[in-house]
Amino acid sequence: MSAGFEKADTASGIDGTPAEADLQTALFDAVCDSLSAAFIIYDKNDHLIFASRQILEFFPLPAEMLKPGTRLRDFLGAVYDTGVRQQYDVRQGGSLSREDWLSQRIASHWRERFESVERHGADSWVRFVKRRLPGGYGVTIVSDISEDKKREEQWRSDLERVQLTEDILDNLPFPLFVKDRNLTYVAVNLAFCEKYQTTADEVLGRKSGDLFSPEIAKRFEESDRHVLETGEMSISRQRQISRDGIERDIVSRKHRIGKPGRYFLVSTTQDLPRDGADLEEFDRASAITTSANQSYRRAYVPLQSAVERREPAAMEAIVPENFSGRKILVVTADLAAETAALRTLSKYGFESCTVRGEDEEEQFLEIATSSGISLDLLIIDNQMGMRCLELAEQYGIPALVMDGFQIANELTFQIARHFNRNSRNNGAGADVDWEISISDDTVGLQVLVAEDNDINQIVFSQILEGLGHRHMIAATGDEVVRLWAEHRPQVVLMDISLPGFNGFEAARLIRQMEEAGAAARTPIIGVLTQAFERDRAECAKSGMDDVIMKPVSPDMLETIFQKYLVEEGARVRARA
């Protein structure tokens, strides 16, 4: 290695660079690319032997500063002059002078081992690893660790939130526990442990069947599932004998929290006076169950929502023999979703296979096409990259985009709806599988989407159909303004980069038309591809109410709709 350095050092003073040196430079650059890092190598006289081009990604330096033979002091001086190295460096004694800073840096380069992390922007961190070899040669490796630092900060923030949540729960005076969608205990507070004379370790990760008698566990899980599936609150009054032998009347309340596919069950318990009156929630209950010996009484209280509760669409008939032999490829990195999907597809006679990434998908489609195998459908996890959907479009294969929970639990319904819908379309002479705009009945339009990208239109259409919202899609800014004026949707999802009027201009026009006609304000949600503050500011300036980021997901849109469609429903009833 040192012989190679000597040759490079000698050649640095020659005007013409030998082919071998060019090859060596290209090799070093390739190594830097593969390691996602920048390298600086200098000799015992502190002259550069090699500086990879990736250095320019960290410092806005003139390219000539990377040439072999450049003094390390001159290189560092150029770095100092960019101002990057101290942009976010706060020092108690003030900033160092140029000479002091250079002296400090040169000294660090002569240490046998030295590592440091510097912040070079609001969300940019750079790591420097310096080594001085026994022969006097020095190596500095510069790498961007911004993502690692962001994850670390997010981890610390999450840890603080978890600790704060635990502190709040432990200070509540009444017992509380939380179960996940598998009905496994995931959190209990201190009052719960004290009441039942147990510890959190004895409860967490277990189910009711592990802690109670089969009869009681069955009754608990029945109400748990009802709450998780319907969203109705469970209110139960019962007589209980604790381990200390004291008999009490208690009331338990169970609520569902979270987002679709990620629901949790929260239950609280409260002691009641033995001669206490009945609970007022029973007066609003949809159904009441009373045990034969009056040991418990349970009711389910409907959701108090500003809009009518939307029941899931009825399952369309799926006849196994009709689909026997149909070929489906599942693209997901979620092992649980993959296992559930293969089991479901096999049950209904589909020929199915799974891949776990876009590269595997591309290789599979290439082989299938060359072998004359025709796929009927792609199931794509929405956590995968957009490239997966682009490949489906490229090979002309219909695709359904779902989250992991849908793949594991709603696959039958989604596939049945796809094939049955396409079967009806083909019978009517339809030429395409995809219906971007919904049916001709656009009365009471809920969602208007402004999106010019064909693939993104498909994603929006699938998600909105799955959520059960009536929608239309406009491909230009002019069209979205026209459709808004014609149908007055309850909410607009506005891509900002549209042909014709862009999203900002379209939003301004809608706001002007509202003011001119004294119309109710329509929530407009900006849909951004990158989180630039200038775009967010422009969205607010143009009259938009909120922003979301691409790629969109069912959970993301459901959160927006819960916020804005609920408010719209309340306004409609208020006007009525």
Side-chain angles (χ1 to χ4, degrees):
M1 184 64 135
S2 102
F5 284 159
E6 293 287 357
K7 182 179 291 186
D9 196 15
T10 304
S12 67
I14 303 175
D15 292 336
T17 306
E20 186 178 347
D22 285 343
L23 179 61
Q24 188 180 53
T25 299
L27 177 62
F28 274 128
D29 273 333
V31 171
C32 293
D33 271 335
S34 65
L35 296 176
S36 299
F39 278 65
I40 305 172
I41 303 175
Y42 36 94
D43 62 19
K44 54 191 174 184
N45 296 318
D46 280 352
H47 289 168
L48 297 191
I49 297 173
F50 169 78
S52 68
R53 53 185 170 78
Q54 289 82 5
I55 286 292
L56 303 180
E57 299 175 7
F58 295 93
F59 304 107
L61 296 171
E64 55 267 20
M65 295 306 302
L66 305 185
K67 290 182 178 179
T70 302
R71 292 196 313 163
L72 181 60
R73 173 174 286 273
D74 294 337
F75 172 84
L76 293 174
V79 170
Y80 181 95
D81 294 337
T82 65
V84 171
R85 84 282 166 259
Q86 284 182 322
Q87 187 174 359
Y88 287 85
D89 186 14
V90 179
R91 299 177 183 277
Q92 294 180 353
S95 299
L96 293 174
S97 67
R98 191 176 193 275
E99 280 304 313
D100 289 341
W101 186 86
L102 287 174
S103 298
Q104 188 182 80
R105 287 300 184 276
I106 291 293
S108 71
H109 280 273
W110 270 99
R111 294 174 64 174
E112 182 179 355
R113 292 174 177 270
F114 184 79
E115 294 186 16
S116 63
V117 173
E118 295 183 6
R119 188 167 187 169
H120 284 184
D123 56 356
S124 176
W125 286 265
V126 179
R127 171 181 284 135
F128 297 88
V129 178
K130 304 173 186 178
R131 298 288 185 269
R132 184 65 74 160
L133 305 179
Y137 292 100
V139 179
T140 296
I141 304 171
V142 186
S143 55
D144 187 341
I145 60 168
S146 300
E147 291 304 317
D148 292 338
K149 292 292 287 186
K150 289 177 186 176
R151 282 193 292 270
E152 181 182 333
E153 289 192 346
Q154 184 62 47
W155 175 79
R156 292 183 185 278
S157 177
D158 290 344
L159 192 63
E160 290 175 359
R161 283 198 295 270
V162 169
Q163 185 61 53
L164 177 61
T165 302
E166 290 180 350
D167 290 343
I168 293 173
L169 295 180
D170 282 341
N171 281 281
L172 292 176
F174 50 82
L176 177 146
F177 67 79
V178 181
K179 291 183 178 181
D180 62 17
R181 67 187 185 203
N182 297 318
L183 303 185
T184 301
Y185 288 94
V186 295
V188 294
N189 69 348
L190 188 60
F192 179 94
C193 296
E194 290 177 349
K195 181 177 181 64
Y196 295 101
Q197 300 179 17
T198 185
T199 65
D201 291 339
E202 292 177 346
V203 178
L204 298 182
R206 306 177 74 180
K207 296 188 175 184
S208 296
D210 302 323
L211 305 173
F212 304 101
S213 67
E215 179 184 354
I216 294 177
K218 180 180 179 181
R219 194 174 81 217
F220 284 176
E221 293 198 357
E222 178 184 348
S223 65
D224 292 346
R225 292 192 185 281
H226 182 93
V227 174
L228 285 174
E229 291 171 3
T230 68
E232 294 183 333
M233 180 184 75
S234 167
I235 172 77
S236 177
R237 177 175 179 173
Q238 52 195 299
R239 179 70 52 86
Q240 187 179 79
I241 301 177
S242 61
R243 291 184 180 181
D244 57 10
I246 299 176
E247 190 172 330
R248 298 182 178 91
D249 282 340
I250 67 169
V251 58
S252 298
R253 294 180 175 87
K254 297 179 181 178
H255 302 263
R256 185 181 75 181
I257 64 171
K259 300 177 181 179
R262 296 177 177 83
Y263 287 130
F264 290 87
L265 181 85
V266 178
S267 179
T268 59
T269 304
Q270 172 184 351
D271 286 341
L272 288 177
R274 183 167 299 183
D275 56 350
D278 214 346
L279 301 166
E280 62 178 17
E281 286 98 335
F282 281 95
D283 297 333
R284 307 195 308 269
S286 58
I288 299 177
T289 302
T290 303
S291 68
N293 59 7
Q294 294 291 312
S295 64
Y296 80 93
R297 195 163 186 240
R298 169 172 286 119
Y300 295 110
V301 183
L303 280 171
Q304 299 299 312
S305 175
V307 295
E308 292 185 9
R309 184 172 142 220
R310 188 181 77 249
E311 297 292 343
M315 171 67 73
E316 299 186 45
I318 178 167
V319 184
E321 55 267 25
N322 287 352
F323 301 134
S324 180
R326 295 281 185 105
K327 298 175 178 62
I328 295 181
L329 178 66
V330 180
V331 186
T332 179
D334 186 331
L335 183 58
E338 172 189 330
T339 303
L342 290 179
R343 183 171 57 249
T344 299
L345 294 171
S346 174
K347 176 182 177 182
Y348 288 104
F350 290 100
E351 295 181 13
S352 59
C353 184
T354 64
V355 294
R356 296 185 176 178
E358 57 189 41
D359 292 337
E360 289 186 19
E361 178 189 354
E362 185 170 19
Q363 293 171 8
F364 185 96
L365 295 179
E366 287 179 358
I367 295 172
T369 302
S370 62
S371 303
I373 299 174
S374 177
L375 294 178
D376 296 289
L377 185 64
L378 285 180
I379 305 294
I380 300 175
D381 193 320
N382 69 351
Q383 297 301 311
M384 310 304 294
M386 185 59 70
R387 174 67 176 154
C388 293
L389 197 56
E390 292 172 350
L391 287 169
E393 181 81 4
Q394 177 183 331
Y395 283 87
I397 304 172
L400 294 178
V401 180
M402 309 179 199
D403 61 28
F405 178 80
Q406 288 176 307
I407 293 175
N409 297 276
E410 302 174 6
L411 191 59
T412 306
F413 166 65
Q414 298 289 349
I415 291 177
R417 185 175 63 177
H418 167 77
F419 281 119
N420 288 339
R421 181 187 61 196
N422 288 343
S423 176
R424 291 193 297 269
N425 289 345
N426 291 336
D431 294 326
V432 294
D433 286 336
W434 295 106
E435 194 68 37
I436 297 304
S437 296
I438 60 168
S439 63
D440 294 335
D441 180 15
T442 56
V443 178
L445 181 66
Q446 290 179 293
V447 184
L448 175 59
V449 180
E451 175 59 65
D452 62 319
N453 182 281
D454 292 341
I455 294 177
N456 289 340
Q457 287 180 352
I458 292 173
V459 173
F460 272 112
S461 184
Q462 286 185 10
I463 293 176
L464 291 171
E465 286 180 9
L467 294 176
H469 293 294
R470 299 181 298 279
H471 69 282
M472 295 185 72
I473 295 183
T476 68
D478 310 65
E479 187 179 7
V480 73
V481 174
R482 177 180 62 81
L483 291 177
W484 175 86
E486 291 178 3
H487 302 289
R488 296 303 172 96
Q490 295 180 21
V491 66
V492 177
L493 302 178
M494 184 78 75
D495 183 16
I496 62 173
S497 57
L498 294 170
F501 296 130
N502 63 31
F504 305 129
E505 294 167 335
R508 291 190 187 96
L509 283 172
I510 291 174
R511 294 299 182 225
Q512 291 171 9
M513 294 168 68
E514 287 175 343
E515 292 177 5
R521 181 183 176 90
T522 302
I524 302 177
I525 313 302
V527 183
L528 309 181
T529 55
Q530 293 179 306
F532 290 134
E533 285 302 321
R534 62 175 181 270
D535 289 339
R536 291 178 178 271
E538 187 64 24
C539 284
K541 186 178 178 182
S542 65
M544 298 188 197
D545 300 274
D546 211 332
V547 296
I548 57 176
M549 304 301 299
K550 292 182 181 178
V552 295
S553 67
D555 287 348
M556 184 188 300
L557 293 185
E558 185 70 16
T559 300
I560 285 292
F561 296 152
Q562 286 176 355
K563 179 178 180 180
Y564 291 99
L565 291 185
V566 165
E567 293 176 356
E568 174 64 19
R571 287 195 295 270
V572 169
R573 279 196 300 279
R575 290 197 295 270

